[in-house]
Amino acid sequence: MNIGFEAKRIFHNKTGLGNYSRDLVRILSHYFPENNYLLYNPIPTNENLFETNESNVIEKKPTSTFYSKFYNLWRQKGVVKDLVSDEIKLFHGLSGEIPSGLNKIKSIVTVHDLIFMSLPQYYSFLDRAIYFYKFRKSTTKSDLVIAISEQTKSDLIKYFNVPSRKIKVVYQGCNPAFKKEYSSERKKNIIEKYKLPANFILNVGTVESRKNILSAVQAIQNIDTYLVIIGTPTAYKKKIESYIEQNNLEHKILFLNDVEVEELAILYQLATLFIYPSLYEGFGIPIIESLFSKTPVITTKGGVFHESGGPNTLYIDTNNIDEITNSINLLLTNFELRKEMADKGYDFVQKFNDEQIASNIYNVYKSLL
């Protein structure tokens, strides 16, 4: 069977949507090698974000000069002619989009989150309008919708009136780099490269206001510890830097960006604990990355966080700095509790392993065919 994918993020996005798309194709091609997986990429790229040794994974690009120049038109409609020519039986939009005119080709769209509806203050009017149009179209026109969490399913029903029967919840996993154990020598190299202390708290995610990492900076102000923040900076970083400077915290905070995935995996394993005080997520991949790394997690009460964090994560009110401080102190001073959380969290996170997720996704595919 030939399965097609909207693959722009696979080849051009280094973060959440790209990671989801790459991992999904990787595990499907591995566990279900009897199919061909065709990746429709509208634009050439100079970066090699996706590698596979599987012969059944095939990159497809616009073949005409017109669509090579007007690649967005190809993504939105022109690609359908290629899908028919390639005998695609099922098309999967991996990031909330599908082309118009699929007709007899079965289609599925993955919706990661509807944060632009839940927290509209973090988006411009134009962005909200574009997202609303895109998600309204894809959830209406597709045969099935995959939500990456029960939280996202609930939001789809609430904001777009998508029938519950049309939505399948399939959790996502993470890169296999986070499931490996690294040598003491490799860890030592990372400690020396980034001049890390023996003990530190880790945070991973775009440095933006919704991720709310300033609350963790405020929480450790009077704690003898060190915070490493890894993620692409936005204007919000200046607000954090201003607070750090005003309170003489420069010696306690380290910002990193463009960390290679294997280095990131090692940083998770080196961290004493992981903190993720985000206000809202569709899922929260960094949480499961940390759990696979056997690093205990502090994250937000409510929402999707309990789905990804499980029963042995420590949940906090992100508006209560004293509560965050107390939770950090509790874990820093209680090795036995950290060990228990790490071990039980690792057991819990196995529900997000590759084989299980590949099987869940493929069962959704088969339900349409």
Side-chain angles (χ1 to χ4, degrees):
M1 177 171 65
N2 292 342
I3 303 173
F5 298 88
E6 199 290 307
K8 179 181 177 182
R9 268 78 179 183
I10 288 178
F11 295 100
H12 301 276
N13 185 302
K14 295 181 180 180
T15 55
L17 295 180
N19 291 334
Y20 169 84
S21 302
R22 286 184 287 271
D23 282 341
L24 188 143
V25 171
R26 174 182 58 82
I27 63 177
L28 284 174
S29 62
H30 175 74
Y31 288 103
F32 300 97
E34 65 272 21
N35 304 300
N36 292 314
Y37 301 91
L38 283 69
L39 313 182
Y40 291 86
N41 176 20
I43 324 168
T45 177
N46 295 323
E47 292 189 87
N48 192 14
L49 297 182
F50 183 68
E51 292 183 357
T52 178
N53 296 321
E54 307 290 349
S55 60
N56 58 348
V57 178
I58 305 157
E59 181 182 1
K60 304 285 289 187
K61 296 176 183 176
T63 54
S64 71
T65 303
F66 177 82
Y67 280 130
S68 294
K69 183 175 182 180
F70 299 100
Y71 54 85
N72 275 325
L73 288 178
W74 184 71
R75 288 180 66 224
Q76 294 165 13
K77 190 174 177 70
V79 69
V80 174
K81 184 177 179 181
D82 297 285
L83 300 180
V84 173
S85 176
D86 293 334
E87 298 182 345
I88 296 298
K89 300 300 182 186
L90 174 69
F91 185 83
H92 189 168
L94 296 170
S95 55
E97 298 178 80
I98 58 171
S100 299
L102 287 171
N103 298 327
K104 295 182 180 180
I105 298 174
K106 295 292 186 178
S107 61
I108 291 174
V109 65
T110 293
V111 176
H112 297 262
D113 63 69
L114 296 178
I115 299 172
F116 73 97
M117 297 292 291
S118 303
L119 299 175
Q121 65 269 31
Y122 294 114
Y123 298 83
S124 69
F125 172 80
L126 180 59
D127 282 344
R128 294 199 308 272
I130 292 171
Y131 294 150
F132 186 89
Y133 170 79
K134 179 176 75 172
F135 287 118
R136 171 67 76 191
K137 172 190 168 186
S138 64
T139 56
T140 301
K141 298 296 185 181
S142 62
D143 293 292
L144 276 177
V145 178
I146 289 177
I148 63 168
S149 65
E150 293 290 345
Q151 176 67 56
T152 297
K153 177 179 179 179
S154 176
D155 287 346
L156 282 164
I157 295 169
K158 176 180 179 180
Y159 294 116
F160 287 101
N161 296 314
V162 180
S164 177
R165 66 181 180 278
K166 189 177 180 178
I167 307 170
K168 304 295 184 183
V169 174
V170 181
Y171 292 116
Q172 57 191 116
C174 65
N175 192 291
F178 301 99
K179 303 168 189 177
K180 300 177 184 177
E181 179 59 48
Y182 296 90
S183 68
S184 298
E185 185 65 24
R186 188 76 177 93
K187 291 178 180 178
K188 181 181 177 182
N189 292 339
I190 296 299
I191 290 171
E192 292 175 351
K193 177 177 180 177
Y194 294 113
K195 298 179 174 58
L196 298 170
N199 299 290
F200 64 90
I201 300 169
L202 181 65
N203 170 263
V204 177
T206 304
V207 185
E208 60 181 336
S209 53
R210 177 173 58 84
K211 302 291 186 178
N212 189 40
I213 191 56
L214 178 57
S215 66
V217 174
Q218 295 169 329
I220 68 163
Q221 188 165 338
N222 297 312
I223 301 177
D224 182 19
T225 192
Y226 195 81
L227 176 62
V228 177
I229 301 171
I230 302 176
T232 304
T234 68
Y236 176 68
K237 184 185 176 187
K238 294 181 180 178
K239 181 178 179 179
I240 301 172
E241 289 174 330
S242 177
Y243 185 90
I244 290 170
E245 182 178 355
Q246 291 171 11
N247 292 276
N248 301 313
L249 299 174
E250 291 88 347
H251 63 292
K252 301 178 73 169
I253 313 292
L254 174 64
F255 287 98
L256 300 176
N257 188 22
D258 289 329
V259 176
E260 294 180 1
V261 66
E262 186 174 282
E263 291 187 342
L264 179 59
I266 294 170
L267 284 161
Y268 270 110
Q269 292 184 14
L270 288 169
T272 305
L273 63 94
F274 178 74
I275 189 162
Y276 197 66
S278 177
L279 300 179
Y280 203 95
E281 296 290 333
F283 183 66
I285 290 180
I287 294 174
I288 69 168
E289 290 172 347
S290 187
L291 295 178
F292 271 118
S293 304
K294 297 184 179 180
T295 299
V297 174
I298 297 174
T299 191
T300 310
K301 288 178 181 174
V304 75
F305 302 98
H306 293 260
E307 290 185 65
S308 50
N312 295 101
T313 283
L314 196 56
Y315 298 98
I316 44 91
D317 178 354
T318 56
N319 295 314
N320 189 329
I321 303 303
D322 287 340
E323 184 176 329
I324 302 172
T325 299
N326 292 337
S327 297
I328 292 171
N329 267 324
L330 174 64
L331 290 190
L332 290 179
T333 57
N334 193 327
F335 171 80
E336 290 78 13
L337 178 58
R338 294 203 308 272
K339 180 69 165 56
E340 179 184 2
M341 287 174 63
D343 290 343
K344 292 183 177 180
Y346 184 75
D347 290 340
F348 167 80
V349 83
Q350 298 310 308
K351 68 188 289 187
F352 307 116
N353 66 43
D354 288 353
E355 186 173 5
Q356 183 63 58
I357 292 170
S359 178
N360 292 343
I361 287 284
Y362 201 61
N363 285 336
V364 174
Y365 289 178
K366 289 193 298 183
S367 73
L368 277 183
L369 300 170

